[in-house]
Amino acid sequence: MTNLKEMACQIRQDIIEMLAAAKSGHPGGSLSAADIVAVLYFSEMRIDPENPSWPDRDRFVLSKGHAAPVLYAALAEKGFFPREELLKLRQTGHFLQGHPDMKKVPGVDMSTGSLGQGISAAAGMALAGKIDNKSYRVYCLLGDGEVAEGLVWEAAMAAAQYKLDNLLVILDNNGLQIDGPNKEVMNSEPLADKWRAFGWNVLETDGHDTGGLNASMEVAKNLRGKPTIILAKTVKGKGVSFMENQAGWHGNAPSSEQADIALKELRGVKA
Amino acid sequence: MTERIDWENIKKIAMRDAYGQTLVQLGGQNKDIVVLDADLSKSTKTADFAKVFPERFFNMGIAEQNLMGFSAGLAAAGKVPFASTFAVFATGRAFEQIRNSIAYPKLNVKIAATHAGISVGEDGASHQAIEDLALMRALPNMTVLAPADAEETRQVIKAAAAYKGPVYIRMGRLAVPVLFDQSYKFEIGKANVRREGKDVAIIANGLMVAEALKAAEILNSQGIEATVVNCASVKPLDENTIIAVSQQTGAVVTAEEHNIIGGLGSAVAEVLSENYPVPLCRVGIKDTFGESGRPEELLVKYGLTAAEIVKVAQKVIKKKNCKISA
Ligand SMILES: Cc1ncc(C[n+]2csc(CCOP(=O)(O)OP(=O)(O)O)c2C)c(N)n1
Ligand SMILES: [Mg+2]
C-alpha cells in the first residue's frame, strides 16, 4: 500500500521538474490537485497500467486540463509510461501534450483543455456504464473557476436526471483562477447549495488531507441514486511556499533556480 | 520593387500588444466602447483597457457563450463591445451564440481573438485555432480580418471600431516582425500589393506575410519575380486585386497559418476558379491538428515557412504551361 502523502510529495516534485524542463505550463492548479490525484491513482481507482484501455477500468477525466502535469506525473509513477518521459513535456513531436490527449498518452481517458467540457464527457462515460450495467466508476476533477462555464451546469443537470451515482466529481476549490480570486472574477458561491439544488450529494473535505479524501470517496461509493461532488478545499500552488495562493503562478513555469528552491522545500517535507 | 528587409534586426511586436494599446486609445475617444473578456485579460491584453477604464471592462469569467450573449445585448443597447478570448474558444465554443445572437441580427460586436494558429506553441492542439477563419467566413454579415503585424493590427482595430456591424479579428500570440509603418493605410475589403513581380503571386495574411516577403527575396535570387499581396481582409475579399495579380503572373500561391480548408486559400481559390482560373497551390496547415512544441519548431514542422512557399511557388510556376488534358 502506497504512502499517499509521500506519493503526493513525489508527484509535486515531478510537476516542478517537468515544468522547469518544459519552460511553460501550469504549476498552481497542478500542485493544488496533487493530493487528490495521488489518492485517486494510488488508492481509489481500479486501473491497470499494463492494460490502459481495459474496458472495465475506472475512468478519470481531468476537466481542468491545464493541470496535465499532475496527471502525467501520477500516470508515470503508476507505471503507464517511463518517468523519464515527463521531462519531455510539451516538446515538439513528444506524446506528452500541453493538455491531456487521450489518443497520445496511455492512461488518459479523455482529451481536455477547453474548460467545462470534461465533466460533460465524464457524465457521458458514467451513463454508458449504467447502460452496460458495468461497475466501473468515473472520476472527474473540476476547477473552481471552471464552474463559470454554462456547460458545467448543463452536465450537472443531466447527471442528476440520469441518476449517475457512478460519477464522482471533485472540485479543486483553490479560490483562484487566472485573473484573480474567483470571488472577484466571477463569484461561484455558494457552491454547496448550488450543487445540492442541481440534485447532487455534496461532501466537503480538506483537499490536502489524504485520509479525509479517502474517507469521502468511500462515503460517495455508498450513496445511491444521485451523483456526488466533493468540495475539496485546497491551496493553489500547495507545497511550494512562494507559489502558494498566488494567481501569478497559475500559468508560469519556474526558472531552474526557482525549481531548485521548490524541490529543496518539497524534499524537506518528505524527510 | 526588389525590397530587401533586414530580417536579422527587424523589430518584433505581438499583435495582441498593439491591440491592448489601441483599445485604450479608442476608449478615450469613444465612451460607447466596452470591453469584455473571459478570464484571459492578461493574455489577450484587454487588461490594458481594464486598468484605464475599469468601469467599462467586464470579466465574464470562463464562460465564452455568455461572453458573446452579453456582447450582443450590449450592442443591441448601443454599446460597441469588444469581446476577447483565445480564438479557439471565441469561434468554437461560442459559435452558435455568434451565429444567432450576433451575426444574424447584425449586431455591432467586435470579436477580437488572440492566440490564433499553431504558433500558440506549447499549449498544444486544444488551444491552436486552425479553423477560426473558416467558421467566421461562413457566417453571413460577418467581416473577417487577419492582420500581419502590430501596425496593421492597430489600423484593423480602428477600422473595426469605425465600421457598424459584426467583425472577427484574428491575432496571434507571438511577437512578429513589424512590416508596416504609419504611411500604410488599411481598409476593410482592400488587399495591399507589397511587392510586384511577373512570375508568380503570393497572397498571404497573418504571420505568413513576413514569410511570403522572405520567400520573394529568395525567389528573386533565383531569377523568379514574385508579387506579394497582404490580404488581411479575408471577408470582404478584394476580388479585383486578386484577379489582377493573377492576370499579371498566371500562377498563385496562398499562404496562411490556418487549415488549407476554409481560410484565405479557399477564398482565393473560389474567386479565381469563377473569374480567372490559373494554377494555384495553398500553403497552410494540411488538414491536421497541431501539437505542443516551440512555436518556431512547429511553424517549420507544419510547413509554414518561406522555404515552403519557395518550393510551392516553383511547383506552381511549372504548372503554368501544361494544358489540362482529359
Ligand atoms: C473554454 C476555456 N476558456 C479559457 C481557458 C483558459 N484557461 C486555462 S486555465 C484557466 C483558469 C482556470 O481556473 P480554475 O478552474 O480555478 O483552475 P485552477 O485554479 O485549478 O488552475 C483559464 C481561463 C480554457 N483553457 N478553456
Ligand atoms: Mg481555481
Side-chain angles (χ1 to χ4, degrees):
Chain A
M1 181 86 196
T2 317
N3 179 321
L4 295 174
K5 272 195 164 10
E6 276 178 20
M7 182 50 69
C9 184
Q10 182 57 49
I11 287 173
R12 287 194 167 92
Q13 293 172 47
D14 293 342
I15 291 167
I16 295 297
E17 288 184 38
M18 0 180 7
L19 289 176
K23 299 194 177 68
S24 73
H26 301 80
S30 299
L31 292 168
S32 67
D35 303 285
I36 297 165
V37 171
V39 170
L40 284 171
Y41 276 85
F42 291 90
S43 162
E44 178 70 8
M45 285 169 46
R46 283 180 313 172
I47 43 174
D48 178 6
E50 300 301 321
N51 192 1
S53 46
W54 173 35
D56 291 336
R57 73 190 183 284
D58 288 342
R59 273 112 174 127
F60 175 65
V61 178
L62 184 65
S63 201
K64 40 170 275 184
H66 57 281
V70 72
L71 173 58
Y72 295 162
L75 290 173
E77 296 293 347
K78 190 80 186 174
F80 280 89
F81 50 82
R83 281 196 61 225
E84 302 80 74
E85 301 291 347
L86 293 177
L87 295 179
K88 300 195 194 112
L89 170 71
R90 291 178 166 236
Q91 284 182 20
T92 310
H94 194 259
F95 70 97
L96 292 178
Q97 298 296 295
H99 293 77
D101 184 328
M102 64 188 288
K103 290 282 157 55
K104 291 193 168 137
V105 186
V108 169
D109 292 314
M110 181 65 207
S111 301
T112 51
S114 177
L115 293 168
Q117 300 195 19
I119 184 178
S120 180
M125 290 177 189
L127 181 60
K130 289 281 174 199
I131 293 166
D132 295 341
N133 253 321
K134 297 270 191 181
S135 63
Y136 65 76
R137 291 175 64 73
V138 183
Y139 299 86
C140 172
L141 186 66
L142 204 59
D144 55 3
E146 183 181 7
V147 298
E149 287 285 2
L151 185 50
V152 168
W153 301 100
E154 295 172 28
M157 222 182 285
Q161 172 80 11
Y162 293 103
K163 304 186 172 54
L164 302 179
D165 51 17
N166 52 348
L167 175 66
L168 177 63
V169 172
I170 301 146
L171 186 94
D172 186 353
N173 196 3
N174 58 31
L176 292 175
Q177 51 194 102
I178 297 184
D179 280 349
N182 306 144
K183 281 199 171 60
E184 284 170 25
V185 178
M186 186 54 63
N187 186 17
S188 56
E189 293 290 350
L191 280 167
D193 291 348
K194 283 198 176 84
W195 287 95
R196 257 184 227 114
F198 271 75
W200 287 55
N201 300 306
V202 179
L203 303 174
E204 303 190 46
T205 186
D206 175 347
H208 302 306
D209 171 11
T210 52
L213 284 165
N214 246 331
S216 299
M217 289 182 197
E218 269 319 300
V219 170
K221 258 182 223 163
N222 296 313
L223 293 173
R224 298 277 168 232
K226 289 179 181 184
T228 298
I229 185 164
I230 300 176
L231 304 180
K233 197 99 208 112
T234 57
V235 171
K236 199 153 175 170
K238 175 75 178 178
V240 177
S241 47
F242 63 87
M243 290 183 177
E244 287 188 358
N245 290 315
Q246 301 294 319
W249 280 105
H250 171 84
N252 289 315
S255 66
S256 56
E257 296 78 38
Q258 289 168 326
D260 283 344
I261 298 169
L263 288 170
K264 255 189 213 123
E265 182 179 354
L266 288 167
R267 287 183 189 126
V269 170
K270 200 174 176 182
Chain B
M1 274 199 279
T2 47
E3 176 188 20
R4 284 205 165 266
I5 294 171
D6 180 4
W7 295 107
E8 292 297 310
N9 297 308
I10 194 163
K11 192 169 167 194
K12 291 185 175 182
I13 303 177
M15 297 175 204
R16 55 192 172 125
D17 283 324
Y19 170 52
Q21 291 158 7
T22 310
L23 272 185
V24 172
Q25 198 185 338
L26 288 172
Q29 296 161 5
N30 183 351
K31 299 283 168 254
D32 283 334
I33 288 182
V34 292
V35 176
L36 298 87
D37 206 298
D39 197 29
L40 286 169
S41 64
K42 288 175 196 146
S43 298
T44 62
K45 304 296 175 183
T46 60
D48 293 357
F49 182 93
K51 215 180 285 158
V52 186
F53 303 108
E55 71 292 345
R56 282 193 270 148
F57 174 79
F58 304 95
N59 206 326
M60 303 312 296
I62 314 163
E64 295 75 15
Q65 303 171 36
N66 204 31
L67 170 76
M68 298 306 168
F70 264 65
S71 297
L74 285 159
K79 295 291 169 202
V80 184
F82 276 77
S84 286
T85 177
F86 291 173
V88 167
F89 310 131
T91 63
R93 171 60 65 89
F95 179 75
E96 201 250 355
Q97 279 78 12
I98 294 175
R99 182 190 189 278
N100 281 331
S101 297
I102 295 174
Y104 179 36
K106 207 172 180 197
L107 286 169
N108 197 18
V109 177
K110 317 304 165 186
I111 301 158
T114 65
H115 294 62
I118 204 159
S119 59
V120 159
E122 290 83 354
D123 271 352
S126 62
H127 285 55
Q128 297 163 343
I130 55 161
E131 67 290 327
D132 53 319
L133 292 178
L135 288 169
M136 292 298 104
R137 206 166 71 81
L139 289 174
N141 294 336
M142 188 62 78
T143 292
V144 181
L145 310 175
D149 79 342
E151 176 56 30
E152 191 170 40
T153 299
R154 285 186 200 105
Q155 299 199 23
V156 158
I157 298 299
K158 288 178 193 168
Y163 168 84
K164 213 166 159 52
V167 182
Y168 175 69
I169 302 145
R170 175 185 224 239
M171 293 172 279
R173 165 180 174 240
L174 287 190
V176 292
V178 177
L179 304 172
F180 297 98
D181 58 30
Q182 284 166 6
S183 67
Y184 171 70
K185 286 283 164 282
F186 169 79
E187 242 183 278
I188 293 174
K190 287 276 180 300
N192 151 252
V193 179
R194 172 67 184 241
R195 179 181 174 123
E196 279 180 282
K198 62 181 186 344
D199 298 319
V200 62
I202 308 167
I203 302 173
N205 65 18
L207 57 70
M208 292 305 285
V209 175
E211 296 308 306
L213 289 168
K214 286 181 205 166
E217 292 179 12
I218 299 168
L219 289 165
N220 175 264
S221 68
Q222 301 172 355
I224 297 171
E225 295 307 327
T227 287
V228 176
V229 180
N230 170 31
C231 196
S233 188
V234 177
K235 186 184 173 186
L237 195 63
D238 186 348
E239 301 194 358
N240 292 336
T241 298
I242 288 167
I243 293 166
V245 298
S246 309
Q247 287 169 338
Q248 287 152 16
T249 59
V252 171
V253 176
T254 60
E256 62 191 318
E257 192 197 2
H258 186 277
N259 197 343
I260 51 168
I261 296 173
L264 178 67
S266 293
V268 169
E270 287 159 15
V271 170
L272 291 181
S273 53
E274 286 189 356
N275 294 283
Y276 192 82
V278 294
L280 174 144
C281 287
R282 296 163 297 162
V283 171
I285 296 162
K286 296 180 182 64
D287 197 23
T288 175
F289 285 106
E291 62 180 293
S292 290
R294 299 234 319 274
E296 318 78 63
E297 292 175 353
L298 294 180
L299 290 169
V300 172
K301 181 163 179 178
Y302 287 80
L304 302 170
T305 59
E308 180 72 15
I309 296 173
V310 167
K311 208 169 74 192
V312 171
Q314 290 163 343
K315 189 175 90 182
V316 79
I317 287 168
K318 284 206 194 95
K319 287 194 186 173
K320 271 200 218 184
N321 300 318
C322 47
K323 293 274 166 294
I324 298 157
S325 53

